[in-house]
Amino acid sequence: MNTANIKKFVIGVIIRSDETLSALIDVKGEIVAKDILKTSDYPEVGGFLQELSMRIMKLIELGGGHDHVRSVGISAPSGHFLSGSIVNSPNMPWKGVIPLAAMLQDQLGMAVALANNAYVTSLAEHSFGSARGMNDFIVVTLGSGMGSCIFSNGRVHQGYDGFAGEIGHTCVMTNGRQCGCGKKGCLEAYVGAKGIIRTAKELMEASDEPSLMRNLEKLSPRTIKECCDQGDQMAIEVYRRTGHMFGLGLANYASIVNPQAIILTGGISHAGDWLIDPTRESFEANVFGNMRGRVKLLVSKLDDRERDVLGASALAWEVPEYSLFK
Ligand SMILES: [Zn+2]
């Protein structure tokens, strides 16, 4: 075997609404070099693409060029794996359908795969995290938006059009809160960052009870959690209500999919037991009886940043190799 032709690196890219991280990663998952670009500086996707491909080219050069760097894996909000496009993202400045993987593949002359955050996260959890050795599990990412990915029989279940796993936009309340997707009563409207803030505001408006939350300069899932840590009863109630809705949504999901585990990731999962205890209680109360006590509810142990990059590299290794230069 000619080992000189085995490529040792891939590029992992994490696109977020505020910044985009690109990294050169070796076969062991070690980050060799990285670059951070401010996504919010580019209201037009064309300018963003030019800058991103230039920065990725620099990382490819650092890795020894196209002979040594194999492919690119990208995590993007509303990323659609089957088409390699960002599809109608409510959280990004670029509207409509953006075929980012194809555009970048043309620029770089190298295979590019793109998926949403939940998909990429689930690859990382399967290869490096809590789902190692599991074939049937769900990863739920919880931040400003809410996504999930279903692993079934050891593979990602994508659905007919590749949109499977939209747990955030399943209805948990008839005529409930308005969601960013246009529907009413979606789980995300209660459990996503904006939903948690709204619950806190509703509780504060409903009574004159004192609460540390009233003195906060900025109400956010993190600052509300900090109030919980100081024993603030109203803040604890915010997460109790959030956990109640979350557990209900997850119980419906698990009753259909029957996973071995549900792994929670994303910023809001850092609320820890303030969120997880009521979620677990509501989950067990609402899940189908034969699954009660059988589904593990786990919080990811991987570092957020590291997990995303590892997942993007796993995605890059999965894509078939392609080169303009062969
Ligand atoms: Zn929705």
Side-chain angles (χ1 to χ4, degrees):
M1 191 167 73
N2 183 0
T3 53
N5 289 337
I6 295 176
K7 298 187 177 177
K8 300 179 186 72
F9 300 105
V10 290
I11 305 282
V13 181
I14 312 299
I15 299 177
R16 293 211 180 92
S17 55
D18 55 345
E19 61 180 37
T20 296
L21 170 74
S22 307
L24 176 71
I25 303 151
D26 71 13
V27 280
K28 293 179 199 145
E30 298 286 336
I31 297 176
V32 180
K34 63 180 176 183
D35 174 87
I36 291 174
L37 169 68
K38 260 193 111 192
T39 318
S40 47
D41 282 350
Y42 299 89
E44 302 295 333
V45 72
F48 172 77
L49 186 78
Q50 288 303 324
E51 187 63 29
L52 179 64
S53 63
M54 207 179 72
R55 300 208 186 190
I56 292 176
M57 282 306 291
K58 279 188 185 154
L59 290 173
I60 293 171
E61 279 166 30
L62 275 173
H66 282 69
D67 286 344
H68 299 280
V69 183
R70 185 185 178 279
S71 45
V72 181
I74 303 175
S75 162
S78 305
H80 183 245
F81 176 74
L82 295 181
S83 65
S85 303
I86 295 177
V87 180
N88 301 322
S89 174
N91 301 317
M92 297 298 283
W94 320 312
K95 299 303 166 205
V97 177
I98 300 155
L100 199 76
M103 290 156 91
L104 209 54
Q105 184 158 308
D106 282 350
Q107 297 257 349
L108 299 171
M110 176 180 287
V112 179
L114 177 143
N116 66 26
N117 180 249
Y119 188 119
V120 168
T121 296
S122 73
L123 291 182
E125 292 295 339
H126 191 232
S127 300
F128 305 99
S130 308
R132 232 181 313 190
M134 289 185 192
N135 282 327
D136 296 274
F137 61 96
I138 298 168
V139 171
V140 176
T141 62
L142 195 51
S144 51
M146 183 177 188
S148 81
C149 184
I150 306 161
F151 248 76
S152 178
N153 276 326
R155 295 177 61 89
V156 173
H157 172 81
Q158 303 190 69
Y160 177 60
D161 278 325
F163 292 113
E166 285 293 351
I167 184 191
H169 304 290
T170 54
C171 184
V172 287
M173 184 77 78
T174 316
N175 259 328
R177 288 181 184 173
Q178 182 66 50
C179 178
C181 76
K183 297 200 305 153
K184 280 188 174 174
C186 290
L187 185 61
E188 183 178 301
Y190 296 87
V191 181
K194 280 184 192 155
I196 294 174
I197 292 166
R198 178 158 170 191
T199 302
K201 284 182 178 162
E202 283 177 3
L203 277 168
M204 284 192 279
E205 280 163 19
S207 83
D208 293 329
E209 295 278 315
S211 169
L212 294 170
M213 292 193 298
R214 297 186 193 278
N215 307 326
L216 289 175
E217 222 165 82
K218 187 168 180 255
L219 206 54
S220 72
R222 189 176 57 81
T223 56
I224 297 168
K225 187 254 178 195
E226 285 164 4
C227 292
C228 293
D229 291 339
Q230 294 176 61
D232 188 84
Q233 287 305 309
M234 200 181 282
I236 291 170
E237 178 64 13
V238 171
Y239 273 110
R240 199 195 61 75
R241 290 188 184 195
T242 305
H244 173 76
M245 295 305 264
F246 195 22
L248 173 65
L250 294 182
N252 288 337
Y253 203 172
S255 298
I256 296 166
V257 178
N258 188 17
Q260 181 179 357
I262 298 175
I263 297 152
L264 309 177
T265 73
I268 292 170
S269 66
H270 299 309
D273 290 344
W274 299 117
L275 174 68
I276 303 307
D277 286 349
T279 300
R280 195 170 273 129
E281 191 178 318
S282 167
F283 179 85
E284 293 296 342
N286 289 296
V287 76
F288 180 59
N290 289 349
M291 297 180 206
R292 203 162 288 146
R294 299 278 303 153
V295 183
K296 294 187 187 105
L297 216 55
L298 307 171
V299 177
S300 170
K301 290 194 178 77
L302 296 174
D303 172 81
D304 283 344
R305 277 262 166 129
E306 196 176 311
R307 178 187 51 238
D308 289 349
V309 172
L310 289 173
S313 74
L315 183 67
W317 286 112
E318 281 196 358
V319 69
E321 211 171 322
Y322 156 89
S323 175
L324 269 183
F325 305 107
K326 275 186 178 166

